[in-house]
Amino acid sequence: MRIRLTETDHRDLPRAVDRVRRILEERVGPAVVRAAAPVEVSAWHAPGEPVPFAEAVRAEYAPFAVGTPWGAPWSTTWFRLRGAAPAAPAPGLRAELLVDLGFSAGAPGFQAEGLLYTPDGVPVEGLAPRRHSVPGAIAADGSVDVLLEAAANPDVLRDLSFAPTPLGERATAGLEPLYVLRRADVVLVDLEVRGLEADLVVLAELASALPEDSTRRARILVALDAACAALDLDDVAGTAARARAVLAPALASPAVPSAQAITAVGHAHIDSAWLWPIRETRRKVARTIANVLALMDEDPGFVYAMSSAQQYAWLEEDQPALFARLAERVREGRFVPVGGMWVESDTNLPGGEALARQFVAGTRWFRDRFGVDGEGVWLPDSFGYTAALPQIARLAGKRWLLTQKASWNDTNRIPHHTFSWEGLDGTRLFTHFPPVDTYNADGSVPELLHSERNFADAAVATRALLPFGHGDGGGGPTREMLLRLARARSLEGVPTVEIGTPQAFYRAAEEELTEPAVWAGELYLELHRGTYTSQRRTKQGNRRNEHLLREAELWAATAAIRVAAPYPAVALERLWRHVLLLQFHDILPGSAIAWVHREAVADHAAITAELEALIASSLAALAGEGDALLLANAAPDPRRGVAALGVGAPTPPRSGAVTADGSGFVLEDEAVRAVVDAEGMLVSLVHRASGRETVPPGTRGNRFQLHEDHPVRWDAWDVDREYRATAVDLDGPAEVRADGDAVVVVRRFGRSSLEQRLRLVPGGELRIETTVDWQEREKLLKLAFPVDVRAERVASEVQFGHVERATHANTSWDAARFETSQHRWQHLGEPGFGVAVVNDSVYGSDTTRIRREGGGTASLLRLSILRAARFPDPEQDRGAHRFAVGLLPGARVVDAVAAGYRINLLERTVRGGGAVEPLLAVEGEGVVVESVKLAEDGDGDIVVRLYEALGRSTEAAVVLGVAHEGVEEVDLLEDPLAPSALVGVDGGRARLRLRPFRIVTLRVRRPHGRRA
Ligand SMILES: [Zn+2]
């Protein structure tokens, strides 16, 4: 255990602290181990990917000497360890197995780890750096006979140099062993000396942190001096009790009445994939939970919170014995499922339905296995928080949010730690940022003091939460952390510390702060702005499969109702869970190693194939026998004469005409006239109904711009504002030609090339489909559209609505928002006229104002197409890409919403007998169906999710095309909700009164339900 000093100049510290530090390092620390006996080691190096215990135990083990290297990157070595204690266990002495796999001083969770099993395969405890002496493997007589599954995980993050590394793929990581087995002993640990160590550490840290003129400090220094005097350095074990008695009064001096109250919650942040692949996360979960359960056996007051139903599900599958023990602790209330989400997802990029399903999948799983809901929202590490989250969370029954990521902001500081967060629809969510500014606390005195001094709401609130335990790569709390925290229960000079549940903390915090300050709108993270763009194939797979899931559920539900086809509930649940996993906050944002993204792209492709098959099967059942051409319109708006959500004969396709004029090509239909010049640039885009030109005079659109992209740190994560200093316009000569109804532009730049097809599509849209062969490094590719609209704000779609963000940089908050995210559309508007830009897979952008020839300003909207960071994936995003964007001159927001669905839901035709009436129709402009499905509980009820998309109060009706036995509003878990937006049901017509951006889930009771 090391002393954690505050930033005080060490020379100012009295000698007592320095003396204690040296005594700890040279005498007390070593005296914790009273005696040691080496164990007999043999090893088997698993040849490929990890194998189950049953296979490993049958392998051939060869003798293995301590001091021998082991472990090529990502490989697994199984060690068999057999031995006996050096002496019979005695009172005050505990036998432990001490194994040093070659741990470094680097962070736990980023290097070698292991899991100990009994010879019959029961996992007992994990081994990790700073947690490598454990009692769990020792038999009552002090003997040991265990198998150790040791994972040679490389430290990809190393010293935060962010240099390109081959370690992120097994194929490139090399075969050189990374580690040396340094020690493997059965030791006898002197618990009294371990107690003395903790006493000394806590008091020395406190003395070093207190003001020099503090009486408390002076008294602690005296006590430390006296304890040193009481300790015989040649007989630490024999005099430890005497020294502890000297320190006891200093440790017993209680906290002052105004001390803040910290609720410490055991935790391990386990990234579901990041600098390790998903398969390793599964083992990290097992190791961490083995540790947590061992600590719970020893300490009845220990409480641990864990999020992510997915991680519980992995444990249930991989380690059923551990899962059974975990479930018992959940019943006791000490192991606390939190979050209620499938994973700790990103919240900027997942679509509305997907973010809702994170909560549905997670909370349903917790309910099913444990009968609990997962309390509040637990997202300590996600990269900013969408303004849609409060409403979604509340509709999933969540009462609060925990995060600390806002402490990573590079410019501004959110002025509260405990507050009420108001989402885009006005829903409020009680929110706490642990002021300790980490989710990986270790319970040291400097941390407790940072939490106290940093707490922005100290004037009105006294309570803070402290999540403690090694994290990112898991590991969790250690015995040393518990020893420290126990000493801070009531200790003069630090906040009081109580180990408790998040639920107890939030209840007390809410009771104490009845009128919390309000923060309105998104919790934009002023960092990691590159995560809207990095690893575009992963993002594209996500966008595609979100929309295919919409189609698959809609057509499966329609087929179940119309033609009694079986509803593929099991397959849909599995596919949803898979997509939800891939929205984890280091996968969808693109901040994981190559291995993770290679798998994510392949997984998305497999999911697509399965969804396409499900859709084809539903539509075949619906369309029936026949050879008529039908269009299946999954969009919320009619398409080619086919009703929204229905199947019918489409009107003939229409496309604009292309004509050449002297300097380029003209694309024209009844709504739009566009001109592309000889260099492939968009020089005119006219909304014909109004006659208005939307390309500002003297500018050209469809302009790619290439920026140098060298963030100071966190390459795949960050776009630094300095990127704007250099921009190369790719507006030189290009190959431009007409091809049918399209204009084709081919352009080469650097080692890369791109080809675009520009054409007009019905709905007043200029569609631009681009394929890029991207071979750059450390560049950012933007696609710019100057728009002749004066707008101080740009509207961008988020989940179930949109947010407006400044196009200027008046305040430091506006300036820091120099790169933002959007879903399917953005809109720039003046009263009565606007322009929409829609996309099928582009999440990042920036929108600014430009001086307009002739006076005033116009807008410049630039989509972020590709990046090429070199860490953690040195080959990020190289290769072929495809994306589509659309421009809609004269579009209102409601048109943008419709076009956003249209570009993401490709026209789907099918041959069959005849039309299929939609299950429902919506009356009311701007009220949009997001999801149609059958109920999660298998009742056969129809569940329809819709939302008010324009940001206004309105009335609407859902007209049902099916027989029903009642309609009610339900929450996301499909349980009755009050107060309801449903004002009445007249026959087949459910009338709704909606406030801005209100999400409504309707459950349509079906006559065939199993209810009486
Ligand atoms: Zn994380």
mmCIF file with all atom_site columns, all heavy atoms in Angstrom, residues 359 363 367 373-376 391-400 429 971-973 977:
data_model
loop_
_atom_site.group_PDB
_atom_site.id
_atom_site.type_symbol
_atom_site.label_atom_id
_atom_site.label_alt_id
_atom_site.label_comp_id
_atom_site.label_asym_id
_atom_site.label_entity_id
_atom_site.label_seq_id
_atom_site.pdbx_PDB_ins_code
_atom_site.Cartn_x
_atom_site.Cartn_y
_atom_site.Cartn_z
_atom_site.occupancy
_atom_site.B_iso_or_equiv
_atom_site.pdbx_formal_charge
_atom_site.auth_seq_id
_atom_site.auth_comp_id
_atom_site.auth_asym_id
_atom_site.auth_atom_id
_atom_site.pdbx_PDB_model_num
ATOM 1   N N   . PHE A 1 359 ? -32.651 0.182   -22.720 1.00 0.00 ? 359 PHE A N   1
ATOM 2   C CA  . PHE A 1 359 ? -33.320 0.107   -21.415 1.00 0.00 ? 359 PHE A CA  1
ATOM 3   C C   . PHE A 1 359 ? -34.296 -1.069  -21.351 1.00 0.00 ? 359 PHE A C   1
ATOM 4   O O   . PHE A 1 359 ? -34.402 -1.731  -20.320 1.00 0.00 ? 359 PHE A O   1
ATOM 5   C CB  . PHE A 1 359 ? -34.052 1.419   -21.125 1.00 0.00 ? 359 PHE A CB  1
ATOM 6   C CG  . PHE A 1 359 ? -33.117 2.541   -20.766 1.00 0.00 ? 359 PHE A CG  1
ATOM 7   C CD1 . PHE A 1 359 ? -32.690 3.453   -21.725 1.00 0.00 ? 359 PHE A CD1 1
ATOM 8   C CD2 . PHE A 1 359 ? -32.640 2.674   -19.471 1.00 0.00 ? 359 PHE A CD2 1
ATOM 9   C CE1 . PHE A 1 359 ? -31.807 4.475   -21.399 1.00 0.00 ? 359 PHE A CE1 1
ATOM 10  C CE2 . PHE A 1 359 ? -31.761 3.688   -19.135 1.00 0.00 ? 359 PHE A CE2 1
ATOM 11  C CZ  . PHE A 1 359 ? -31.348 4.597   -20.106 1.00 0.00 ? 359 PHE A CZ  1
ATOM 12  N N   . THR A 1 363 ? -33.420 -3.787  -18.609 1.00 0.00 ? 363 THR A N   1
ATOM 13  C CA  . THR A 1 363 ? -34.325 -3.840  -17.461 1.00 0.00 ? 363 THR A CA  1
ATOM 14  C C   . THR A 1 363 ? -35.131 -5.132  -17.466 1.00 0.00 ? 363 THR A C   1
ATOM 15  O O   . THR A 1 363 ? -35.339 -5.735  -16.410 1.00 0.00 ? 363 THR A O   1
ATOM 16  C CB  . THR A 1 363 ? -35.241 -2.607  -17.465 1.00 0.00 ? 363 THR A CB  1
ATOM 17  O OG1 . THR A 1 363 ? -34.415 -1.435  -17.436 1.00 0.00 ? 363 THR A OG1 1
ATOM 18  C CG2 . THR A 1 363 ? -36.162 -2.609  -16.254 1.00 0.00 ? 363 THR A CG2 1
ATOM 19  N N   . ARG A 1 367 ? -35.137 -7.825  -14.439 1.00 0.00 ? 367 ARG A N   1
ATOM 20  C CA  . ARG A 1 367 ? -36.399 -8.243  -13.828 1.00 0.00 ? 367 ARG A CA  1
ATOM 21  C C   . ARG A 1 367 ? -36.535 -9.750  -13.873 1.00 0.00 ? 367 ARG A C   1
ATOM 22  O O   . ARG A 1 367 ? -36.945 -10.397 -12.910 1.00 0.00 ? 367 ARG A O   1
ATOM 23  C CB  . ARG A 1 367 ? -37.583 -7.628  -14.580 1.00 0.00 ? 367 ARG A CB  1
ATOM 24  C CG  . ARG A 1 367 ? -37.855 -6.195  -14.229 1.00 0.00 ? 367 ARG A CG  1
ATOM 25  C CD  . ARG A 1 367 ? -39.118 -5.735  -14.963 1.00 0.00 ? 367 ARG A CD  1
ATOM 26  N NE  . ARG A 1 367 ? -39.345 -4.316  -14.705 1.00 0.00 ? 367 ARG A NE  1
ATOM 27  C CZ  . ARG A 1 367 ? -40.371 -3.644  -15.199 1.00 0.00 ? 367 ARG A CZ  1
ATOM 28  N NH1 . ARG A 1 367 ? -41.255 -4.252  -15.981 1.00 0.00 ? 367 ARG A NH1 1
ATOM 29  N NH2 . ARG A 1 367 ? -40.510 -2.363  -14.937 1.00 0.00 ? 367 ARG A NH2 1
ATOM 30  N N   . ASP A 1 373 ? -35.084 -3.758  -11.100 1.00 0.00 ? 373 ASP A N   1
ATOM 31  C CA  . ASP A 1 373 ? -35.170 -2.964  -12.322 1.00 0.00 ? 373 ASP A CA  1
ATOM 32  C C   . ASP A 1 373 ? -33.848 -2.359  -12.765 1.00 0.00 ? 373 ASP A C   1
ATOM 33  O O   . ASP A 1 373 ? -33.736 -1.819  -13.855 1.00 0.00 ? 373 ASP A O   1
ATOM 34  C CB  . ASP A 1 373 ? -36.170 -1.819  -12.122 1.00 0.00 ? 373 ASP A CB  1
ATOM 35  C CG  . ASP A 1 373 ? -37.524 -2.176  -12.701 1.00 0.00 ? 373 ASP A CG  1
ATOM 36  O OD1 . ASP A 1 373 ? -37.766 -3.383  -12.904 1.00 0.00 ? 373 ASP A OD1 1
ATOM 37  O OD2 . ASP A 1 373 ? -38.322 -1.260  -12.945 1.00 0.00 ? 373 ASP A OD2 1
ATOM 38  N N   . GLY A 1 374 ? -32.850 -2.364  -11.879 1.00 0.00 ? 374 GLY A N   1
ATOM 39  C CA  . GLY A 1 374 ? -31.599 -1.730  -12.264 1.00 0.00 ? 374 GLY A CA  1
ATOM 40  C C   . GLY A 1 374 ? -31.562 -0.240  -11.931 1.00 0.00 ? 374 GLY A C   1
ATOM 41  O O   . GLY A 1 374 ? -30.773 0.502   -12.512 1.00 0.00 ? 374 GLY A O   1
ATOM 42  N N   . GLU A 1 375 ? -32.398 0.166   -10.985 1.00 0.00 ? 375 GLU A N   1
ATOM 43  C CA  . GLU A 1 375 ? -32.328 1.505   -10.391 1.00 0.00 ? 375 GLU A CA  1
ATOM 44  C C   . GLU A 1 375 ? -32.226 2.614   -11.431 1.00 0.00 ? 375 GLU A C   1
ATOM 45  O O   . GLU A 1 375 ? -33.078 2.727   -12.294 1.00 0.00 ? 375 GLU A O   1
ATOM 46  C CB  . GLU A 1 375 ? -31.154 1.569   -9.411  1.00 0.00 ? 375 GLU A CB  1
ATOM 47  C CG  . GLU A 1 375 ? -31.293 0.558   -8.281  1.00 0.00 ? 375 GLU A CG  1
ATOM 48  C CD  . GLU A 1 375 ? -30.384 0.870   -7.120  1.00 0.00 ? 375 GLU A CD  1
ATOM 49  O OE1 . GLU A 1 375 ? -29.536 1.766   -7.233  1.00 0.00 ? 375 GLU A OE1 1
ATOM 50  O OE2 . GLU A 1 375 ? -30.548 0.223   -6.081  1.00 0.00 ? 375 GLU A OE2 1
ATOM 51  N N   . GLY A 1 376 ? -31.176 3.437   -11.329 1.00 0.00 ? 376 GLY A N   1
ATOM 52  C CA  . GLY A 1 376 ? -31.055 4.612   -12.200 1.00 0.00 ? 376 GLY A CA  1
ATOM 53  C C   . GLY A 1 376 ? -30.191 4.328   -13.413 1.00 0.00 ? 376 GLY A C   1
ATOM 54  O O   . GLY A 1 376 ? -29.849 3.189   -13.706 1.00 0.00 ? 376 GLY A O   1
ATOM 55  N N   . GLN A 1 391 ? -36.055 11.788  -20.944 1.00 0.00 ? 391 GLN A N   1
ATOM 56  C CA  . GLN A 1 391 ? -37.379 11.232  -21.193 1.00 0.00 ? 391 GLN A CA  1
ATOM 57  C C   . GLN A 1 391 ? -37.317 9.708   -21.364 1.00 0.00 ? 391 GLN A C   1
ATOM 58  O O   . GLN A 1 391 ? -38.140 8.967   -20.806 1.00 0.00 ? 391 GLN A O   1
ATOM 59  C CB  . GLN A 1 391 ? -38.019 11.867  -22.438 1.00 0.00 ? 391 GLN A CB  1
ATOM 60  C CG  . GLN A 1 391 ? -39.427 11.356  -22.652 1.00 0.00 ? 391 GLN A CG  1
ATOM 61  C CD  . GLN A 1 391 ? -40.148 11.954  -23.854 1.00 0.00 ? 391 GLN A CD  1
ATOM 62  O OE1 . GLN A 1 391 ? -41.356 11.963  -23.873 1.00 0.00 ? 391 GLN A OE1 1
ATOM 63  N NE2 . GLN A 1 391 ? -39.440 12.437  -24.842 1.00 0.00 ? 391 GLN A NE2 1
ATOM 64  N N   . ILE A 1 392 ? -36.342 9.245   -22.129 1.00 0.00 ? 392 ILE A N   1
ATOM 65  C CA  . ILE A 1 392 ? -36.222 7.799   -22.342 1.00 0.00 ? 392 ILE A CA  1
ATOM 66  C C   . ILE A 1 392 ? -35.996 7.088   -21.009 1.00 0.00 ? 392 ILE A C   1
ATOM 67  O O   . ILE A 1 392 ? -36.614 6.073   -20.705 1.00 0.00 ? 392 ILE A O   1
ATOM 68  C CB  . ILE A 1 392 ? -35.077 7.504   -23.337 1.00 0.00 ? 392 ILE A CB  1
ATOM 69  C CG1 . ILE A 1 392 ? -35.428 8.059   -24.724 1.00 0.00 ? 392 ILE A CG1 1
ATOM 70  C CG2 . ILE A 1 392 ? -34.776 6.016   -23.411 1.00 0.00 ? 392 ILE A CG2 1
ATOM 71  C CD1 . ILE A 1 392 ? -34.270 8.036   -25.715 1.00 0.00 ? 392 ILE A CD1 1
ATOM 72  N N   . ALA A 1 393 ? -35.107 7.657   -20.193 1.00 0.00 ? 393 ALA A N   1
ATOM 73  C CA  . ALA A 1 393 ? -34.803 7.027   -18.899 1.00 0.00 ? 393 ALA A CA  1
ATOM 74  C C   . ALA A 1 393 ? -36.040 6.987   -18.007 1.00 0.00 ? 393 ALA A C   1
ATOM 75  O O   . ALA A 1 393 ? -36.347 5.956   -17.396 1.00 0.00 ? 393 ALA A O   1
ATOM 76  C CB  . ALA A 1 393 ? -33.672 7.789   -18.207 1.00 0.00 ? 393 ALA A CB  1
ATOM 77  N N   . ARG A 1 394 ? -36.757 8.101   -17.953 1.00 0.00 ? 394 ARG A N   1
ATOM 78  C CA  . ARG A 1 394 ? -37.938 8.122   -17.083 1.00 0.00 ? 394 ARG A CA  1
ATOM 79  C C   . ARG A 1 394 ? -39.003 7.157   -17.593 1.00 0.00 ? 394 ARG A C   1
ATOM 80  O O   . ARG A 1 394 ? -39.693 6.505   -16.803 1.00 0.00 ? 394 ARG A O   1
ATOM 81  C CB  . ARG A 1 394 ? -38.517 9.546   -16.989 1.00 0.00 ? 394 ARG A CB  1
ATOM 82  C CG  . ARG A 1 394 ? -37.632 10.536  -16.244 1.00 0.00 ? 394 ARG A CG  1
ATOM 83  C CD  . ARG A 1 394 ? -37.289 10.077  -14.843 1.00 0.00 ? 394 ARG A CD  1
ATOM 84  N NE  . ARG A 1 394 ? -38.413 10.116  -13.949 1.00 0.00 ? 394 ARG A NE  1
ATOM 85  C CZ  . ARG A 1 394 ? -38.608 11.051  -13.016 1.00 0.00 ? 394 ARG A CZ  1
ATOM 86  N NH1 . ARG A 1 394 ? -37.717 12.006  -12.847 1.00 0.00 ? 394 ARG A NH1 1
ATOM 87  N NH2 . ARG A 1 394 ? -39.674 11.018  -12.255 1.00 0.00 ? 394 ARG A NH2 1
ATOM 88  N N   . LEU A 1 395 ? -39.144 7.062   -18.909 1.00 0.00 ? 395 LEU A N   1
ATOM 89  C CA  . LEU A 1 395 ? -40.132 6.133   -19.462 1.00 0.00 ? 395 LEU A CA  1
ATOM 90  C C   . LEU A 1 395 ? -39.721 4.680   -19.240 1.00 0.00 ? 395 LEU A C   1
ATOM 91  O O   . LEU A 1 395 ? -40.532 3.769   -19.394 1.00 0.00 ? 395 LEU A O   1
ATOM 92  C CB  . LEU A 1 395 ? -40.344 6.405   -20.952 1.00 0.00 ? 395 LEU A CB  1
ATOM 93  C CG  . LEU A 1 395 ? -41.175 7.647   -21.266 1.00 0.00 ? 395 LEU A CG  1
ATOM 94  C CD1 . LEU A 1 395 ? -41.179 7.932   -22.764 1.00 0.00 ? 395 LEU A CD1 1
ATOM 95  C CD2 . LEU A 1 395 ? -42.614 7.513   -20.748 1.00 0.00 ? 395 LEU A CD2 1
ATOM 96  N N   . ALA A 1 396 ? -38.445 4.471   -18.886 1.00 0.00 ? 396 ALA A N   1
ATOM 97  C CA  . ALA A 1 396 ? -38.009 3.118   -18.536 1.00 0.00 ? 396 ALA A CA  1
ATOM 98  C C   . ALA A 1 396 ? -38.014 2.935   -17.018 1.00 0.00 ? 396 ALA A C   1
ATOM 99  O O   . ALA A 1 396 ? -37.471 1.951   -16.513 1.00 0.00 ? 396 ALA A O   1
ATOM 100 C CB  . ALA A 1 396 ? -36.616 2.857   -19.097 1.00 0.00 ? 396 ALA A CB  1
ATOM 101 N N   . GLY A 1 397 ? -38.585 3.896   -16.309 1.00 0.00 ? 397 GLY A N   1
ATOM 102 C CA  . GLY A 1 397 ? -38.705 3.762   -14.865 1.00 0.00 ? 397 GLY A CA  1
ATOM 103 C C   . GLY A 1 397 ? -37.466 4.156   -14.090 1.00 0.00 ? 397 GLY A C   1
ATOM 104 O O   . GLY A 1 397 ? -37.369 3.908   -12.893 1.00 0.00 ? 397 GLY A O   1
ATOM 105 N N   . LYS A 1 398 ? -36.501 4.787   -14.761 1.00 0.00 ? 398 LYS A N   1
ATOM 106 C CA  . LYS A 1 398 ? -35.274 5.166   -14.070 1.00 0.00 ? 398 LYS A CA  1
ATOM 107 C C   . LYS A 1 398 ? -35.454 6.522   -13.395 1.00 0.00 ? 398 LYS A C   1
ATOM 108 O O   . LYS A 1 398 ? -35.993 7.448   -13.983 1.00 0.00 ? 398 LYS A O   1
ATOM 109 C CB  . LYS A 1 398 ? -34.093 5.212   -15.042 1.00 0.00 ? 398 LYS A CB  1
ATOM 110 C CG  . LYS A 1 398 ? -33.907 3.919   -15.823 1.00 0.00 ? 398 LYS A CG  1
ATOM 111 C CD  . LYS A 1 398 ? -33.584 2.741   -14.916 1.00 0.00 ? 398 LYS A CD  1
ATOM 112 C CE  . LYS A 1 398 ? -33.577 1.436   -15.678 1.00 0.00 ? 398 LYS A CE  1
ATOM 113 N NZ  . LYS A 1 398 ? -34.710 0.566   -15.346 1.00 0.00 ? 398 LYS A NZ  1
ATOM 114 N N   . ARG A 1 399 ? -34.960 6.634   -12.179 1.00 0.00 ? 399 ARG A N   1
ATOM 115 C CA  . ARG A 1 399 ? -35.196 7.847   -11.393 1.00 0.00 ? 399 ARG A CA  1
ATOM 116 C C   . ARG A 1 399 ? -33.997 8.771   -11.361 1.00 0.00 ? 399 ARG A C   1
ATOM 117 O O   . ARG A 1 399 ? -34.098 9.910   -10.949 1.00 0.00 ? 399 ARG A O   1
ATOM 118 C CB  . ARG A 1 399 ? -35.572 7.468   -9.957  1.00 0.00 ? 399 ARG A CB  1
ATOM 119 C CG  . ARG A 1 399 ? -36.924 6.783   -9.836  1.00 0.00 ? 399 ARG A CG  1
ATOM 120 C CD  . ARG A 1 399 ? -37.295 6.576   -8.378  1.00 0.00 ? 399 ARG A CD  1
ATOM 121 N NE  . ARG A 1 399 ? -37.050 7.751   -7.552  1.00 0.00 ? 399 ARG A NE  1
ATOM 122 C CZ  . ARG A 1 399 ? -37.860 8.807   -7.496  1.00 0.00 ? 399 ARG A CZ  1
ATOM 123 N NH1 . ARG A 1 399 ? -38.963 8.831   -8.205  1.00 0.00 ? 399 ARG A NH1 1
ATOM 124 N NH2 . ARG A 1 399 ? -37.560 9.822   -6.726  1.00 0.00 ? 399 ARG A NH2 1
ATOM 125 N N   . TRP A 1 400 ? -32.829 8.293   -11.757 1.00 0.00 ? 400 TRP A N   1
ATOM 126 C CA  . TRP A 1 400 ? -31.650 9.140   -11.615 1.00 0.00 ? 400 TRP A CA  1
ATOM 127 C C   . TRP A 1 400 ? -30.584 8.757   -12.638 1.00 0.00 ? 400 TRP A C   1
ATOM 128 O O   . TRP A 1 400 ? -30.680 7.708   -13.280 1.00 0.00 ? 400 TRP A O   1
ATOM 129 C CB  . TRP A 1 400 ? -31.087 9.074   -10.194 1.00 0.00 ? 400 TRP A CB  1
ATOM 130 C CG  . TRP A 1 400 ? -30.893 7.698   -9.617  1.00 0.00 ? 400 TRP A CG  1
ATOM 131 C CD1 . TRP A 1 400 ? -31.739 7.053   -8.749  1.00 0.00 ? 400 TRP A CD1 1
ATOM 132 C CD2 . TRP A 1 400 ? -29.796 6.777   -9.836  1.00 0.00 ? 400 TRP A CD2 1
ATOM 133 N NE1 . TRP A 1 400 ? -31.233 5.806   -8.425  1.00 0.00 ? 400 TRP A NE1 1
ATOM 134 C CE2 . TRP A 1 400 ? -30.048 5.616   -9.068  1.00 0.00 ? 400 TRP A CE2 1
ATOM 135 C CE3 . TRP A 1 400 ? -28.636 6.840   -10.600 1.00 0.00 ? 400 TRP A CE3 1
ATOM 136 C CZ2 . TRP A 1 400 ? -29.183 4.524   -9.040  1.00 0.00 ? 400 TRP A CZ2 1
ATOM 137 C CZ3 . TRP A 1 400 ? -27.764 5.742   -10.587 1.00 0.00 ? 400 TRP A CZ3 1
ATOM 138 C CH2 . TRP A 1 400 ? -28.052 4.610   -9.806  1.00 0.00 ? 400 TRP A CH2 1
ATOM 139 N N   . LEU A 1 429 ? -34.494 14.755  -14.818 1.00 0.00 ? 429 LEU A N   1
ATOM 140 C CA  . LEU A 1 429 ? -33.900 13.553  -14.248 1.00 0.00 ? 429 LEU A CA  1
ATOM 141 C C   . LEU A 1 429 ? -32.876 13.983  -13.200 1.00 0.00 ? 429 LEU A C   1
ATOM 142 O O   . LEU A 1 429 ? -31.960 14.770  -13.491 1.00 0.00 ? 429 LEU A O   1
ATOM 143 C CB  . LEU A 1 429 ? -33.216 12.756  -15.368 1.00 0.00 ? 429 LEU A CB  1
ATOM 144 C CG  . LEU A 1 429 ? -32.658 11.378  -15.034 1.00 0.00 ? 429 LEU A CG  1
ATOM 145 C CD1 . LEU A 1 429 ? -33.776 10.419  -14.632 1.00 0.00 ? 429 LEU A CD1 1
ATOM 146 C CD2 . LEU A 1 429 ? -31.904 10.822  -16.240 1.00 0.00 ? 429 LEU A CD2 1
ATOM 147 N N   . ASP A 1 971 ? -45.391 2.353   -20.674 1.00 0.00 ? 971 ASP A N   1
ATOM 148 C CA  . ASP A 1 971 ? -44.018 2.857   -20.664 1.00 0.00 ? 971 ASP A CA  1
ATOM 149 C C   . ASP A 1 971 ? -43.156 1.987   -21.584 1.00 0.00 ? 971 ASP A C   1
ATOM 150 O O   . ASP A 1 971 ? -43.671 1.112   -22.287 1.00 0.00 ? 971 ASP A O   1
ATOM 151 C CB  . ASP A 1 971 ? -43.482 2.943   -19.232 1.00 0.00 ? 971 ASP A CB  1
ATOM 152 C CG  . ASP A 1 971 ? -43.403 1.576   -18.548 1.00 0.00 ? 971 ASP A CG  1
ATOM 153 O OD1 . ASP A 1 971 ? -43.498 0.538   -19.255 1.00 0.00 ? 971 ASP A OD1 1
ATOM 154 O OD2 . ASP A 1 971 ? -43.246 1.547   -17.315 1.00 0.00 ? 971 ASP A OD2 1
ATOM 155 N N   . LEU A 1 972 ? -41.860 2.201   -21.573 1.00 0.00 ? 972 LEU A N   1
ATOM 156 C CA  . LEU A 1 972 ? -41.010 1.438   -22.488 1.00 0.00 ? 972 LEU A CA  1
ATOM 157 C C   . LEU A 1 972 ? -41.001 -0.041  -22.144 1.00 0.00 ? 972 LEU A C   1
ATOM 158 O O   . LEU A 1 972 ? -40.778 -0.888  -23.009 1.00 0.00 ? 972 LEU A O   1
ATOM 159 C CB  . LEU A 1 972 ? -39.575 1.985   -22.475 1.00 0.00 ? 972 LEU A CB  1
ATOM 160 C CG  . LEU A 1 972 ? -39.389 3.422   -22.957 1.00 0.00 ? 972 LEU A CG  1
ATOM 161 C CD1 . LEU A 1 972 ? -37.912 3.792   -22.946 1.00 0.00 ? 972 LEU A CD1 1
ATOM 162 C CD2 . LEU A 1 972 ? -39.978 3.633   -24.341 1.00 0.00 ? 972 LEU A CD2 1
ATOM 163 N N   . LEU A 1 973 ? -41.265 -0.344  -20.869 1.00 0.00 ? 973 LEU A N   1
ATOM 164 C CA  . LEU A 1 973 ? -41.334 -1.755  -20.460 1.00 0.00 ? 973 LEU A CA  1
ATOM 165 C C   . LEU A 1 973 ? -42.702 -2.343  -20.773 1.00 0.00 ? 973 LEU A C   1
ATOM 166 O O   . LEU A 1 973 ? -42.976 -3.486  -20.443 1.00 0.00 ? 973 LEU A O   1
ATOM 167 C CB  . LEU A 1 973 ? -41.030 -1.885  -18.970 1.00 0.00 ? 973 LEU A CB  1
ATOM 168 C CG  . LEU A 1 973 ? -39.549 -1.887  -18.546 1.00 0.00 ? 973 LEU A CG  1
ATOM 169 C CD1 . LEU A 1 973 ? -38.772 -2.936  -19.309 1.00 0.00 ? 973 LEU A CD1 1
ATOM 170 C CD2 . LEU A 1 973 ? -38.887 -0.535  -18.701 1.00 0.00 ? 973 LEU A CD2 1
ATOM 171 N N   . LEU A 1 977 ? -48.971 3.356   -18.093 1.00 0.00 ? 977 LEU A N   1
ATOM 172 C CA  . LEU A 1 977 ? -48.304 4.616   -17.756 1.00 0.00 ? 977 LEU A CA  1
ATOM 173 C C   . LEU A 1 977 ? -49.352 5.675   -17.438 1.00 0.00 ? 977 LEU A C   1
ATOM 174 O O   . LEU A 1 977 ? -50.355 5.804   -18.142 1.00 0.00 ? 977 LEU A O   1
ATOM 175 C CB  . LEU A 1 977 ? -47.466 5.091   -18.946 1.00 0.00 ? 977 LEU A CB  1
ATOM 176 C CG  . LEU A 1 977 ? -46.686 6.393   -18.758 1.00 0.00 ? 977 LEU A CG  1
ATOM 177 C CD1 . LEU A 1 977 ? -45.488 6.174   -17.852 1.00 0.00 ? 977 LEU A CD1 1
ATOM 178 C CD2 . LEU A 1 977 ? -46.232 6.957   -20.102 1.00 0.00 ? 977 LEU A CD2 1
#
